[in-house]
Amino acid sequence: MKLQDIIAAVQEYYPEADIEAIRKAYAFMRLHHEGQTRASGEPYVSHLTEVAALATKLRLDVPSIVTALLHDTVEDTDVTLDDLKRDFGADVAQLVDGVTKLNQINFSSRVEAQAESFRKMLLAMARDIRVLLVKLCDRVHNMRTLEFLSEARQTRIAQETLDIYAPLAHRLGIHWMKSELEDSAFRYLKPEIYEKVKQFVSQKRNERERYAEEVTKLIERELEQNGIHGEVTGRPKHFYSIYRKMERFGSSFEEIHDLIAFRVMVPTTMECYAALGAMHAAWKPVPGRFKDYIAMPKPNHYQSLHTTVIGPYGHRIEIQIRTREMHEIAESGIAAHWLYKSADKKIRMPSHDDLQFSWLRELVESGKMLRDPVEFMSLVKEDLFSNEVYVFSPKGDVVALSAGASPIDFAYHIHSELGHRCTGARANGQQVPLNYRLRNGDTVEIITSQAQTPHRDWLSMVQTSKAKQRIRAWLKSEERNRSITLGKELLQKDLRKVKMSYERLLKEGELERLGLEMGIKDLDQLLAEIGYGKISTTQIVARLLPDDQKFQTNAVVEQPSELRKIFQRAAKATQERAGIRVSGMDGMVFHFARCCEPLPGDELVGYITRGRGVTIHNRSCTQTLSFDPQRIVDVSWGDKKTTHRRIRIRVSALDRVGILAAMTQAIAAAGANIASANVSSTLDGKAMNIFELAVDSAEQLEHVIRGLEKLDGVVRVERERRKGDRI
């Protein structure tokens, strides 16, 4: 893409554009990136011009095109934001700053760096959505050239794209960008399955084209007979959506018939409903597969009628019905009305209200409240991935919640206090349990009690990030308060043994002084750590006693008993055998969490569990989101070779002759040993296989999964998670 091509594209949708600003930015970019190359060997400026070209596809304004050209200058050259502000104005400088990662700050982990950079972009895009639009263009081109990076970087970037950027494109309604990002990520995350899907679609191409042509003519005939003027097209579904359907239903390639979605475009909204009636009159609709997004648009302004019918040859066909204007918004999302001509032929930006999305406000709110990077990124991913269910408040207001939401989600959406006090609910006037899954059109009423407080069980009932965040915050606060009370009781008891007064020490400030010496910020934290078991009262009393009393027989400071010494040595030996280091707690007993079964190579986190020592979790385990930070301890893998650890995988496959033998060979080829297997088949020709494997690392498990995914007939491979440990 050359400068003249970018200028021509801008002038096509924005004839009055300030072309000189684009020329100036292009020259500035070439000057400061001179000599820089990408991993592919191409000049770095090629990436910047391609990003600008993608921005023209979204029909962005001139400051956005300029930002696309300059978005890496602050990150990769000696240019500062002040330089950009001076040469290109505050608007461009602010946009570039929003797109720029936080490279100047040292973070403790990659997860923290990712979280803080995304948090920064989140706040910037809440002020100006163009930040996100330019960032999406940048990500699309990076995914197009991902093949030149190392396999580890390919996997990391592809996963981030699938988790964050594809859902963001979906939330903005930019369908073509979402599809491309998903397919690109799929290609690198599941290369074997990607190739199988690609080959299958290619093999079925001629058959699919003939079927699409036949169905298109049938739909056109039905519309014509009903006096409706419409345009009918069939578009093939992208690879990732086919894979998701196979995964969701456990289907083989041959069982996926609706590879094409048919689209009907009519002049008016009224004709949309007339066309729907014609389709349902011609073919039997599939129950539960009709969605009216015209009457109730999605949060990204998407409008269309969706229905699935049993079409020719008994195949299910998906039909979408919309107007031309709805179609433009469906394909381009926010870009469809980003720039447009008013009556006086001037370009006008959409108002701030046009760009406000409830999901964006929720994300910003989460970003401000959650400081833990893992919890923040987890909730962001949950928020972006969720589909919506639309319900009504008793006053008739429409509330959009994540699909699968419960009355508790609804209560927290209205107000945190309403959520905390929720004891029950009514849906459409009928009493429903708190774990009831809300359905489109439900009218929801919440029943409260001042005596009610959140339960840990609620976390398994709720879907929305807001509800999860509020419940976890309450539970953490209560856990801390209980630990402070327990710590105070334990300390008072042991101080009385040496005839010292807790109240006097508190009044004289001795306890706070001692806490500061130990690196603890205040008294509450000191008492909490005693209550958690991270600090013993013996340590505290030993520091408070005068030197001449520390070794008296009535002191609580005692040498460990022989039994205690044996126990500590045994615990330390166990840690060494398992290849684990628990920071500051060499003699602490520990066990691996059953819910995530950490493997060498996984990032770890330890949690002090009362009466059970330290429970070790995978850092990405969802259980960790409920942990009180004060009970978390640093855990790492040691240098020694660890013993094999057992994990379980679930393999969904077609019940074919030889499939079990092929799976066992693939597992053996990866160097893993099968400890046990549970194999079953269904009447519809499916096979469900659960293997318990002995593996020595997360890397080896990945080799096992990759090897199984290559097998013909294997539909899905996943690591099985068991019920979480008590915390």
Side-chain angles (χ1 to χ4, degrees), residues 177-189:
M177 187 175 277
K178 166 188 174 283
S179 299
E180 180 173 341
L181 289 174
E182 285 180 342
D183 277 357
S184 298
F186 178 36
R187 174 187 170 192
Y188 290 101
L189 292 174

Side-chain angles (χ1 to χ4, degrees), residues 140 144 158 205 241 315 348 454 483 545 561 590 607 626 659 695:
V140 167
R144 289 177 179 177
R205 182 176 177 180
S241 69
H315 293 171
R348 185 173 77 81
S483 296
L545 280 172
S561 66
F590 77 93
Y607 192 67
S626 302
I659 188 69
V695 297

Side-chain angles (χ1 to χ4, degrees), residues 33 44 47-48 67 69-77 138:
H33 286 283
Y44 199 83
H47 165 65
L48 302 171
T67 299
L69 291 167
L70 303 177
H71 74 270
D72 278 335
T73 51
V74 173
E75 196 171 315
D76 296 335
T77 75
D138 178 43

